[in-house]
Amino acid sequence: MDTAPLFRLGTRGSPLAMAQAHMTRDALADAHGWSPEQIAIVPIRTTGDRVQDRALAEIGGKALWTKELDRALLEGEIDAAVHSMKDVETIRPTRIAIAAMLPRADVRDRIVGVASLAELPQGAVVGTSSPRRAAQVLRHRPDAKIILFRGNVDTRLAKLAAGEADATLLASAGLLRLGRADVGTPVPIDVMLPAPSQGAVGIEVRAEDTRARELVGAISHADTRAALAAERALLEALGADCHSPVAALATIDGNRLTLRAELYAQDGSAHVAGEIEGSVGDIALAPTLAHDLLARAPGSVRQLFAGE
């Protein structure tokens, strides 16, 4: 007779999402002395997975990756939901709590199709659905043409192989988790600062579920959690959404946290950059940096943020 699982993890069904769910399952099993088979992985198809022909910002934003998982979690179909934190809205339902972050992977983007932005041919076509990546590419290569590329890693690579674009950009962390370390070339952070939360996997539970919070909390990586808290607080202070071309990265050295950020005009023609340093957990850092960036930003950048 089948035994009910000790814990149920909900996830999107893409190859990368499944890989991240298996990472989470294995971490939970190691932490609690369970066998992996005692943890069920429950794939849930999201609207973001179903609709691939339009930019995310046009059809409801990041909630399209989370709302079906939120429903399954709140209705008790799963005990926790595994997310790429880059895809999770800044403001979450009060009934849901982020209980853990896995150790962050490589935060960089990888360029595929050419070895660097400088090596793009004149007038190159670059496929991406990310306003940040589009703006950063255009800042360095204003001659480039941006077209919409959505879908999972293999879908985007197939579009590139079919000649729909000269290059595309993918998250290094996702490629590494899929065993695709040979794909593309990492772009230095000083050339393309990553998206807030890039490379991080988070696990959410029902806020009132003490058992789940304790079980999942046992696998949380403190520095990753602190870095993402700063990056997400910056997004909140900026009033940023999935339309907003914003890059940010928090790094931690001992008890010191450095938060870097850049805001862009959508066409890359203007941008503003800044950084701030302070103690880990200092809740004033992100709002202070956001205020400084908005105060110094050109009008074409400032109007994209904080409701202007």
Side-chain angles (χ1 to χ4, degrees), residues 211-274:
R211 172 181 178 265
R213 290 186 80 144
E214 291 178 353
L215 289 170
V216 171
I219 64 171
S220 194
H221 187 254
D223 280 359
T224 298
R225 182 154 193 159
L228 261 70
E231 292 169 24
R232 289 170 64 81
L234 178 78
L235 288 177
E236 184 174 0
L238 289 169
D241 59 22
C242 57
H243 296 270
S244 308
V246 56
L249 179 64
T251 54
I252 294 174
D253 183 7
N255 193 45
R256 303 298 291 174
L257 181 145
T258 301
L259 179 60
R260 295 173 56 188
E262 296 175 1
L263 315 181
Y264 297 86
Q266 288 178 323
D267 63 0
S269 60
H271 88 294
V272 62

Side-chain angles (χ1 to χ4, degrees), residues 2-89:
D2 289 340
T3 304
L6 294 176
F7 206 74
R8 299 161 299 166
L9 291 174
T11 178
R12 291 170 52 203
S14 73
L16 176 56
M18 292 296 289
Q20 292 174 167
H22 280 87
M23 289 168 48
T24 304
R25 178 200 66 183
D26 293 346
L28 284 169
D30 287 346
H32 301 296
W34 298 341
S35 70
E37 294 73 25
Q38 291 176 294
I39 303 169
I41 293 177
V42 184
I44 295 171
R45 190 161 169 80
T46 70
T47 305
D49 292 310
R50 290 194 295 270
V51 181
Q52 296 290 338
D53 60 346
R54 283 172 286 168
L56 205 64
E58 295 177 8
I59 53 175
K62 292 183 177 181
L64 297 183
W65 298 129
T66 57
K67 65 179 182 179
E68 285 89 354
L69 284 160
D70 290 352
R71 179 204 56 77
L73 184 59
L74 292 173
E75 293 182 5
E77 295 175 13
I78 56 177
D79 299 302
V82 182
H83 296 287
S84 291
M85 287 305 300
K86 185 173 67 170
D87 296 332
V88 176
E89 317 96 283

Side-chain angles (χ1 to χ4, degrees), residues 107-111 132-133 170 172 185-187 192 198:
V107 300
R108 294 173 295 178
D109 290 303
R110 288 190 182 214
I111 191 165
R132 170 192 63 89
R133 287 174 175 153
L170 298 166
S172 184
T185 303
V187 182
M192 289 185 69
Q198 186 154 307

Side-chain angles (χ1 to χ4, degrees), residues 154-188:
D154 285 330
T155 298
R156 285 183 271 176
L157 291 176
K159 289 180 178 182
L160 185 64
E164 295 183 27
D166 296 297
T168 190
L169 292 145
L170 298 166
S172 184
L175 290 168
L176 293 173
R177 288 170 181 148
L178 288 169
R180 309 288 289 276
D182 58 326
V183 173
T185 303
V187 182

